């Protein structure tokens, strides 16, 4: 298990894991995650098919957890949503939208299509962090409309 600086800011994430069939599978995933730099604790529950990870977001991101788990033959379950978004044909709006959504907890990937005015957002299924779906355009807290 990686050692952590006690002053570091740590976050916790819970991921849904697929493909485990036995205790050796869960142990293998746990070891793989625990050896990643920035991971303070990784616990995998075979029965619940969940991985609980405590990590330092300054050193590692959830994308690296997905790569580590899939790299050893297992899956991190994801769910995809397609949304209509006004104003994606304007580059500043498209860029701002992608940046804001990508920073939201649980978001794995954001792909926008200016021609169709849609955004495809992939979430890590079972994400144990608060996933907020309201995107605000500015400090007035008006919903984002492009």
């Amino acid at each position: 298990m990686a050692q952590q600086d006690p002053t570091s800011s740590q976050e916790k994430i819970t991921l849904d894991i697929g493909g485990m069939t036995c205790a050796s599978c869960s142990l293998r995933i746990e070891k793989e995650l625990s050896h990643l730099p920035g991971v303070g604790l990784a616990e995998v529950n075979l029965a619940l098919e969940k991985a609980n990870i405590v990590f330092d977001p300054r050193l590692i991101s959830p994308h690296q957890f997905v790569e580590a788990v899939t790299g050893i033959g297992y899956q991190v379950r994801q769910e995809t949503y397609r949304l209509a978004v006004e104003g994606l044909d304007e580059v500043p709006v498209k860029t701002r939208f992608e940046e804001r959504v990508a920073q939201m907890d649980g978001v794995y990937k954001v792909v926008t299509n200016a021609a169709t005015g849609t955004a495809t957002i992939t979430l890590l299924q079972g994400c144990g962090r608060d996933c907020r779906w309201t995107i605000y355009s500015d400090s007035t807290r008006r919903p984002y409309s492009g």
Side-chain angles (χ1 to χ4, degrees), residues 47-62:
L48 297 176
E49 296 186 318
K50 303 248 186 232
N52 295 308
I53 308 161
V54 177
F55 66 102
D56 185 339
R58 298 173 301 178
L59 302 175
I60 193 164
S61 74

Side-chain angles (χ1 to χ4, degrees), residues 49-92:
E49 296 186 318
K50 303 248 186 232
N52 295 308
I53 308 161
V54 177
F55 66 102
D56 185 339
R58 298 173 301 178
L59 302 175
I60 193 164
S61 74
H63 285 85
Q64 292 163 289
F65 303 143
V66 174
E67 290 172 10
V69 172
T70 58
I72 58 172
Y74 301 94
Q75 302 87 38
V76 175
R77 295 187 182 106
Q78 302 170 10
E79 38 193 335
T80 302
Y81 297 91
R82 188 170 177 196
L83 310 170
V85 181
E86 293 178 23
L88 287 180
D89 55 335
E90 299 173 26
V91 175

Side-chain angles (χ1 to χ4, degrees), residues 4 8 16 21-22 35 50 65 67 69-70 73 75 77 80-81 111 118 134-135 137 141:
Q4 290 295 304
S8 70
D16 279 1
T21 57
C22 63
H35 287 98
K50 303 248 186 232
F65 303 143
E67 290 172 10
V69 172
T70 58
Q75 302 87 38
R77 295 187 182 106
T80 302
Y81 297 91
V111 178
T118 59
T134 306
I135 304 167
S137 58
R141 307 293 286 173

Side-chain angles (χ1 to χ4, degrees), residues 18-123:
M20 296 186 293
T21 57
C22 63
S24 294
C25 295
S26 59
L27 183 60
R28 183 171 182 209
I29 295 169
E30 197 169 286
K31 282 183 179 180
E32 186 73 21
L33 292 170
S34 293
H35 287 98
L36 295 173
V39 173
L41 176 68
E43 297 175 326
V44 178
N45 186 309
L46 173 64
L48 297 176
E49 296 186 318
K50 303 248 186 232
N52 295 308
I53 308 161
V54 177
F55 66 102
D56 185 339
R58 298 173 301 178
L59 302 175
I60 193 164
S61 74
H63 285 85
Q64 292 163 289
F65 303 143
V66 174
E67 290 172 10
V69 172
T70 58
I72 58 172
Y74 301 94
Q75 302 87 38
V76 175
R77 295 187 182 106
Q78 302 170 10
E79 38 193 335
T80 302
Y81 297 91
R82 188 170 177 196
L83 310 170
V85 181
E86 293 178 23
L88 287 180
D89 55 335
E90 299 173 26
V91 175
V93 172
K94 181 180 185 293
T95 302
R96 192 168 54 244
F97 178 84
E98 289 172 344
E99 289 171 351
R100 289 189 180 176
V101 172
Q103 292 175 0
M104 296 169 71
D105 289 339
V107 173
Y108 181 67
K109 181 169 56 171
V110 181
V111 178
T112 56
N113 185 325
T116 61
T118 59
T120 304
I121 302 170
T122 304
L123 298 175

